Amino acid sequence: MSDQEFMRALGYANAAFDLLKRSGIPPYPQFYELLYTYATGVNPTLNNRINTIFRNGAAPSQDLVETLYNEFLKSDVNDRMSSVSERMHARIEAVHDAIDAAMTTANAYSGSLQSATGDLEHELSPEMIRQLAGRLLAETRRMQDTNSELERQLESSRDDIAALQRDLDDVRRESMLDPLTKIANRKSLDEGLAEAIREAAETGAPLSLMLVDIDHFKTFNDTYGHQTGDQVLRLVAMTLKSNIKGKDLAARYGGEEFVAVLPSTDMEGAVIVAENVRKAIQAKELLKRSTNEKLGRITASFGVARFHPTDNAMSLIERADRCLYAAKHAGRNRVVSESELVELGGGGSSASAA
């Protein structure tokens, strides 16, 4: 973790503990997690709820904080996975029951055929033959009915399993997306970056990483409100995603920071992508949706690093973070690559001025 990221995380932690202390709420892990999440601003609905409480002159009580935690942070992904698992288990049990019934009927039918074979070895009267034929016909119809039920169960199971697979895919997709910006979240970033590093190390193909930080976001957020701030975050996320392609991955890193993982892209290509994103963000004029008030334009700073054979995810991110820090201190609204660090004197890193 770079000094800049450490200081940012420490600031969130201090803000969370301050809220716990001021509200007289015990610093249990789940309550700390809730207010730490509030401090980062990554869950806009949660922030709006807590901001409303503060605006009304109240402080969140322990009971209210527990309610908010259960509503916003107690993940329903596991519950949904459990539901899918239960449905899958029920469907498999139904198929097993149908197969068992079919096997029982088949065994009985086989026994009837063997018995009939034995009977036919003896001389039978016409009446006995008629009774034997009637018994075999009834057994055959029972066998047909059982097979039809098995076919119905298998057909139904095929449709149910396809629906369950879709549900599992939906749960997985939701668990990998940032709820506000609808681009990859930190979990998805960690997995995607690890895979990109593994592939680059094995093939020798280039890999670049781009860090993006919205300039003066806190001031903008405080001035125009969190809803407008959320609009800015969505705009930057959309702009970043629309300017990458193929196997590239756009993710929200935390707060007002974003990351783009750029496989098969060398430093020169990554800088071009970063410049395109920077110009696209700067070109967009913001409107406050509630009033159509023109809020001007926003800018962002960029740090670009390339993968080295000795890199892991942390070292690559730290180097991009130093580049981002250099871009901030070189005037913001610019792209700095690691090859420029020496020229700009940005070899170190400390807390960033947003």
Side-chain angles (χ1 to χ4, degrees):
M1 176 182 288
S2 67
D3 292 343
Q4 181 179 346
E5 186 173 359
F6 174 80
M7 293 301 295
R8 181 165 50 248
L10 183 62
Y12 295 148
N14 288 336
F17 277 118
D18 182 58
L19 286 171
L20 289 169
K21 183 178 179 180
R22 283 194 285 121
S23 303
I25 297 169
Y28 298 145
Q30 67 269 31
F31 298 160
Y32 168 76
E33 180 187 3
L34 178 79
L35 294 178
Y36 184 94
T37 302
Y38 169 77
T40 65
V42 298
N43 190 322
T45 308
L46 168 65
N47 280 43
N48 287 338
R49 183 77 66 82
I50 295 179
N51 288 337
T52 300
I53 295 170
F54 286 141
R55 279 197 299 269
N56 293 335
S61 65
Q62 179 175 338
D63 289 343
L64 178 57
V65 167
E66 185 168 1
T67 300
L68 292 172
Y69 174 82
N70 290 333
E71 179 179 351
F72 289 98
L73 294 187
K74 190 175 182 180
S75 174
D76 68 340
V77 172
N78 289 337
D79 292 340
R80 293 177 62 188
M81 289 289 286
S82 296
S83 173
V84 172
S85 177
E86 289 173 4
R87 289 160 56 199
M88 182 73 77
H89 178 74
R91 174 48 56 195
I92 291 173
E93 283 295 312
V95 172
H96 282 172
D97 290 344
I99 292 174
D100 288 343
M103 290 180 64
T104 299
T105 303
N107 289 333
Y109 187 61
S110 176
S112 296
L113 290 177
Q114 290 178 357
S115 176
T117 299
D119 292 341
L120 290 172
E121 291 176 353
H122 302 88
E123 186 174 344
L124 300 176
S125 67
E127 177 61 22
M128 294 175 66
I129 292 175
R130 188 186 65 78
Q131 292 177 356
L132 178 61
R135 188 170 70 249
L136 289 176
L137 180 60
E139 292 288 344
T140 300
R141 286 173 176 168
R142 187 178 301 112
M143 184 70 183
Q144 289 174 335
D145 291 343
T146 302
N147 286 340
S148 296
E149 175 61 18
L150 177 59
E151 289 177 5
R152 188 192 68 78
Q153 288 280 7
L154 291 174
E155 183 70 22
S156 175
S157 296
R158 186 183 67 178
D159 294 340
D160 284 352
I161 289 171
L164 289 168
Q165 183 62 55
R166 289 192 295 271
D167 288 348
L168 285 173
D169 291 342
D170 289 344
V171 171
R172 174 169 172 78
R173 274 194 299 270
E174 289 179 21
S175 72
M176 303 298 276
L177 291 180
D178 174 65
L180 172 64
T181 62
K182 304 305 179 184
I183 63 173
N185 60 15
R186 186 66 178 268
K187 177 183 177 183
S188 182
L189 169 64
D190 290 343
E191 292 184 8
L193 181 55
E195 174 62 21
I197 288 175
R198 183 196 62 77
E199 184 174 328
E202 289 181 355
T203 66
L207 168 66
S208 296
L209 184 83
M210 178 172 70
L211 272 179
V212 186
D213 187 276
I214 303 172
D215 295 328
H216 302 297
F217 180 76
K218 186 177 186 305
T219 301
F220 186 94
N221 213 31
D222 292 343
T223 302
Y224 297 108
H226 291 286
Q227 287 189 338
T228 304
D230 292 345
Q231 181 185 344
V232 171
L233 293 171
R234 284 190 288 264
L235 181 147
V236 172
M238 178 188 67
T239 304
L240 178 61
K241 188 174 182 179
S242 65
N243 278 274
I244 61 175
K245 59 184 180 180
K247 296 171 66 176
D248 298 345
L249 173 67
R252 188 176 181 190
Y253 192 53
E256 66 272 23
E257 282 195 324
F258 298 85
V259 175
V261 181
L262 307 173
S264 303
T265 305
D266 58 19
M267 178 67 73
E268 182 180 357
V271 169
I272 291 173
V273 173
E275 280 291 352
N276 289 340
V277 176
R278 184 190 67 80
K279 292 174 182 176
I281 291 173
Q282 185 181 20
K284 298 182 185 298
E285 186 169 19
L286 292 171
L287 292 176
K288 190 170 185 178
R289 289 179 176 175
S290 58
T291 63
N292 283 329
E293 174 190 359
K294 291 185 178 181
L295 306 180
R297 303 177 190 277
I298 58 168
T299 62
S301 300
F302 296 74
V304 179
R306 68 180 180 87
F307 173 74
H308 299 286
T310 57
D311 269 330
N312 55 30
M314 181 178 295
S315 62
L316 182 58
I317 290 174
E318 284 182 351
R319 209 159 52 253
D321 199 39
R322 290 197 296 270
C323 296
L324 175 61
Y325 174 79
K328 290 283 188 182
H329 284 262
R332 298 184 176 85
N333 189 26
R334 65 171 297 163
V335 176
V336 172
S337 68
E338 62 179 287
S339 61
E340 299 176 75
L341 280 182
V342 174
E343 178 184 344
L344 290 171
S349 177
S350 62
S352 169

